[in-house]
Amino acid sequence: MTGPMTATTSPASPSAEAASALPDAVDAITTQWAEVRPDLETVPMAVYGRIYRIARAMGDRMDKEYARFGIGRGEFDVIATLRRSGEPYTLSPRQLSGTLMLTTGGMTGRLDKLEKAGLLVRSPDPTDRRGLRVTLTERGLKLVDESVTAGLAAQREVLGSALDEDEAAQLSSLLRKLLAAH
């Protein structure tokens, strides 16, 4: 164990360990199944039920974080993808759609909203006269950097309230392994 989390992270609270021993709503569901169907092995239900509940709760939390910047998760995903692409922070709409698994219609709506807000610009592709390029503006770059920092702080706060650094790393590794199996 590496001990307490650093200044950029948080230590797991003593109450988090006590809370992990208390039954939760997922335990109530699996207990009910055990009573009516003792032949069922409900560990998968418990694992995926908790993953779903955590994802939903953190999704709601991230919505609130990004709303402070005037964007939603969908808009964040677009400008974050452009930011991660590196300078000049430019991709084609097709590249964005593929990365975000969106239809072209869904992407067009997001791009329209983000362009209207001055966070990106669309311009003709100099190598393909039928194509477009989508580029993050300076304002978009500033906003995505601020919003990703705020989002990570919120995630770190929740994660650090329940897990120490080693536990968080172990959980990440186990989830990666589970995701690879799908």
Side-chain angles (χ1 to χ4, degrees):
M1 184 147 41
T2 61
M5 293 178 114
T6 63
T8 59
T9 56
S10 310
S13 67
S15 62
E17 285 194 29
S20 69
L22 298 175
D24 62 12
V26 174
D27 289 322
I29 292 167
T30 57
T31 297
Q32 289 171 334
W33 276 115
E35 290 172 3
V36 298
R37 289 284 311 274
D39 59 307
L40 294 177
E41 172 51 56
T42 58
V43 170
M45 181 185 295
V47 169
Y48 288 106
R50 288 187 177 98
I51 289 171
Y52 172 77
R53 287 167 184 259
I54 291 166
R56 191 174 65 196
M58 281 311 299
D60 292 347
R61 174 84 184 261
M62 299 312 292
D63 283 340
K64 289 177 186 169
E65 288 299 322
Y66 297 146
R68 296 181 330 153
F69 298 93
I71 57 174
R73 272 188 288 169
E75 290 81 25
F76 172 82
D77 288 345
V78 172
I79 60 176
T81 300
L82 289 167
R83 177 66 168 109
R84 291 191 321 266
S85 73
E87 287 189 51
Y89 314 118
T90 300
L91 294 170
S92 71
R94 183 180 310 267
Q95 289 170 310
L96 282 166
S97 293
T99 300
L100 299 173
M101 297 181 289
L102 278 176
T103 65
T104 54
M107 180 56 67
T108 299
R110 287 186 189 177
L111 294 178
D112 288 347
K113 182 176 179 181
L114 291 165
E115 189 170 38
K116 187 175 182 179
L119 302 176
L120 58 80
V121 293
R122 287 181 274 199
S123 57
D125 185 332
T127 63
D128 178 1
R129 62 188 177 113
R130 295 172 297 160
L132 288 175
R133 304 299 286 164
V134 179
T135 304
L136 203 55
T137 63
E138 284 298 318
R139 181 172 176 213
L141 180 63
K142 183 176 187 288
L143 186 129
V144 72
D145 283 348
E146 291 173 356
S147 60
V148 74
T149 300
L152 282 169
Q155 292 169 343
R156 189 178 302 109
E157 177 187 329
V158 173
L159 196 60
S161 71
L163 305 174
D164 64 31
E165 285 180 351
D166 287 340
E167 291 169 325
Q170 181 181 15
L171 178 60
S172 179
S173 179
L174 291 170
L175 290 171
R176 181 185 305 109
K177 186 176 180 180
L178 185 60
L179 187 59
H182 283 276

